Amino acid sequence: MYDIIIIGAGASGLMAAIQSSRQGKKVLLIEKMSQAGRKLRISGKGRCNLTNTLPLKDFLKHCGSEPRFLYPAFTKFFSKELMSFFEGLGVELVEERGGRIYPRSGKAQDIFLAMINELEDSDCQIIKNTRVTKLLVKNQEIVGVRTESGKEYLSNKVILAAGGESYPATGSEGDGIILAQEAGHNIIPTLPALVGLVVDYSFPNAIVDFGVKNAKATITNQNDKKICEEFGELNFAEDGVYGPIILTISRIIASTLASGEKLNLILDFKPAIDEKQLDENIIRELNLRGKEDLKSVLRAFIPQNMITFALTKANLNGFKQASLVSAQERKQLLNFLKNCKFQIVGDFGFEEAIITQGGVDLKEINPKTLESKLIKGLFFAGEVMDLDADTGGFNLQIAFSTGYLAAH
Ligand SMILES: Cc1cc2nc3c(=O)[nH]c(=O)nc-3n(C[C@H](O)[C@H](O)[C@H](O)COP(=O)(O)OP(=O)(O)OC[C@H]3O[C@@H](n4cnc5c(N)ncnc54)[C@H](O)[C@@H]3O)c2cc1C
């Protein structure tokens, strides 16, 4: 009989286990993978952007449609407390652009090690390679869990911290959502988010993985109504786009895209100047370099490795002498630079998604305690709930804060 059983040794489960152990509780942490914290260790491209210094009011704006749900968790344990927590474990932190907090070492591994070392030095029992397959419930009260081998572990408090469905290779394959559903919880349908988008175009090898720094990406619907737009960096893939602004957009359009609505992606490679000004610049360059061919004139507007893509997409002959470029061809070039349009045909899927949208319905969870309103003693932490946020350290803070609250 344990005081608390925690399912999943990810960011939220590790935090819940540490907080429970610090209260002197008899804790069992069950992890299905051979190693704990797999996702945490690869987070932030291996650097772990663990939180953000934005004030609570602004922070909540990045946290999806139910920011009020997170208010009690953040009030108890927010970015300041999280930073003190890691500094207390000997991890030096550093603030970077946009208030993003990282370990000074630049290693996500150090965040993970700080947590696991504390747990290994505590009385918390950790069992790995063990998958929980059932929540044991009697008369709407939790009594324990059953694992794949049929073994049962008993407790009157279970924290379900098994993550969502994104990056299944890290162990988050949606088990937690199924466990909650089988126990009677309503599930908001899950979708990959913070993920690359597939478009109706094959990009040439020269620009696959290439990044454009100052672009504007606009999403429109079939009636050309603007849905959202973002400025910043994006990258090309063979059949789509990814990178910071695309990830942000993917989270905004995830449900619209899943509903089957056709959406367009319009890229503006010269967002700092309007079409009229850009057209004048193009005319000037064509005149100045009248004897050169069009592809060399293009170098004044885009990086070398984007030229083949530009010529193909704009249907232009790169060998044409600049002085012979017609007004119509100039318009095609202008259109490529300012209104490069694609249809979005999908996303890169859960395999590559940073987060899962959807999960256990928040209406059935008490935000003040994170206890289930249906099953006494069952608590939730992290991405298994219908919670998701922008990139910038917001998702890990949600995991850590909910892990903290569920343990108290
Ligand atoms: C590549 C990548 C980079 C990211 N970078 C950042 C970042 O820099 N900053 C940020 O804020 N967010 C980042 N995120 C998002 C963030 O990592 C997650 O939101 C966060 O890890 C969720 O924590 P969690 O504890 O809910 O779930 P997870 O960390 O997914 O942990 C769930 C754990 O439960 C275990 N488990 C699942 N099912 C069972 C079962 N049946 N029995 C036992 N154990 C089970 C899993 O193996 C896993 O260890 C990133 C995500 C990815 C994929």
Side-chain angles (χ1 to χ4, degrees):
M1 190 79 188
Y2 292 89
D3 293 327
I4 302 185
I5 294 176
I6 297 159
I7 308 170
S12 63
L14 288 167
M15 180 58 84
I18 290 174
Q19 297 304 330
S20 306
S21 297
R22 284 185 181 182
Q23 295 167 59
K25 305 262 169 67
K26 190 177 173 199
V27 184
L28 173 65
L29 175 60
I30 308 180
E31 168 57 49
K32 79 171 184 202
M33 305 297 276
S34 58
Q35 292 171 313
R38 278 200 159 188
K39 194 177 278 180
L40 183 59
R41 280 182 284 153
I42 58 163
S43 63
K45 297 193 176 133
R47 296 179 61 226
C48 187
N49 174 200
L50 56 133
T51 187
N52 195 294
T53 56
L54 276 180
L56 180 58
K57 196 165 145 262
D58 299 322
F59 195 110
L60 284 169
K61 289 182 190 149
H62 292 270
C63 298
S65 55
E66 295 283 352
R68 267 181 305 160
F69 180 87
L70 282 165
Y71 195 77
F74 285 167
T75 309
K76 278 232 156 89
F77 189 79
F78 192 45
S79 51
K80 208 162 136 247
E81 288 78 18
L82 182 66
M83 290 189 268
S84 303
F85 168 83
F86 279 111
E87 282 159 355
L89 294 178
V91 185
E92 275 189 62
L93 303 173
V94 66
E95 182 170 342
E96 294 190 8
R97 179 183 53 88
R100 291 160 195 246
I101 300 292
Y102 294 86
R104 187 177 287 282
S105 65
K107 292 183 191 149
Q109 178 80 355
D110 290 350
I111 293 293
F112 167 70
L113 284 177
M115 298 185 93
I116 201 76
N117 287 346
E118 157 137 6
L119 278 181
E120 284 173 354
D121 289 345
S122 74
D123 292 331
C124 173
Q125 190 185 338
I126 308 174
I127 49 174
K128 296 180 207 156
N129 283 316
T130 304
R131 181 182 198 150
V132 172
T133 51
K134 192 164 174 51
L135 299 174
L136 303 174
V137 181
K138 262 192 199 150
N139 303 325
Q140 297 309 109
E141 288 187 23
I142 197 95
V143 293
V145 303
R146 184 181 300 143
T147 66
E148 207 161 24
S149 67
K151 202 163 171 185
E152 294 187 350
Y153 297 90
L154 303 181
S155 177
N156 293 325
K157 176 165 181 175
V158 171
I159 301 177
L160 185 54
E165 293 178 44
S166 64
Y167 258 66
T170 61
S172 316
E173 297 172 288
D175 293 16
I177 289 163
I178 294 169
L179 288 169
Q181 190 170 34
E182 285 174 354
H185 270 277
N186 183 44
I187 303 299
I188 305 300
T190 54
L191 295 170
L194 298 184
V195 66
L197 297 171
V198 183
V199 297
D200 61 341
Y201 191 82
S202 293
F203 292 97
N205 280 340
I207 57 162
V208 170
D209 292 330
F210 177 71
V212 181
K213 283 225 157 27
N214 296 308
K216 180 173 84 170
T218 306
I219 301 294
T220 61
N221 68 10
Q222 283 181 89
N223 305 323
D224 289 327
K225 186 172 169 253
K226 184 164 90 181
I227 298 194
C228 61
E229 71 180 18
E230 290 289 326
F231 291 85
E233 188 173 346
L234 66 92
N235 300 74
F236 299 98
E238 269 172 38
D239 58 352
V241 282
Y242 63 102
I245 59 173
I246 300 300
L247 297 191
T248 304
I249 281 174
S250 75
R251 187 170 163 259
I252 300 167
I253 65 168
S255 55
T256 314
L257 200 58
S259 74
E261 191 174 332
K262 288 203 169 60
L263 296 176
N264 303 307
L265 166 70
I266 300 166
L267 299 180
D268 178 349
F269 297 113
K270 294 282 163 201
I273 45 174
D274 64 19
E275 285 196 20
K276 189 167 169 288
Q277 177 69 54
L278 184 58
D279 195 28
E280 282 166 15
N281 292 356
I282 295 172
I283 294 170
R284 194 188 61 232
E285 284 300 319
L286 289 170
N287 288 340
L288 268 174
R289 305 158 79 166
K291 290 217 164 67
E292 295 176 33
D293 57 19
L294 179 58
K295 68 176 162 31
S296 75
V297 176
L298 270 180
R299 282 290 290 113
F301 300 98
I302 47 174
Q304 175 71 38
N305 48 355
M306 276 182 71
I307 288 177
T308 311
F309 161 50
L311 292 168
T312 319
K313 180 78 176 144
N315 200 17
L316 290 168
N317 174 6
F319 296 101
K320 188 156 191 180
Q321 195 176 315
S323 60
L324 301 177
V325 168
S326 67
Q328 171 57 32
E329 287 166 325
R330 221 179 60 231
K331 205 170 158 199
Q332 285 163 234
L333 176 58
L334 188 65
N335 203 39
F336 167 82
L337 292 169
K338 294 291 289 177
N339 289 301
C340 193
K341 191 171 180 180
F342 307 92
Q343 193 185 317
I344 301 172
V345 294
D347 58 51
F348 290 6
F350 281 116
E351 262 64 28
E352 296 191 31
I354 302 288
I355 47 152
T356 303
Q357 235 173 44
V360 180
D361 193 341
L362 302 182
K363 288 197 192 82
E364 298 176 347
I365 303 171
N366 179 350
K368 290 189 182 137
T369 57
L370 300 181
E371 186 173 14
S372 159
K373 290 180 184 171
L374 313 182
I375 299 159
K376 191 165 177 283
L378 174 63
F379 291 72
F380 298 94
E383 215 177 298
V384 69
M385 292 182 278
D386 177 24
L387 290 171
D388 66 275
D390 288 333
T391 56
F394 306 106
N395 286 293
L396 276 173
Q397 179 70 52
I398 291 176
F400 290 132
S401 294
T402 53
Y404 180 95
L405 180 58
H408 280 85

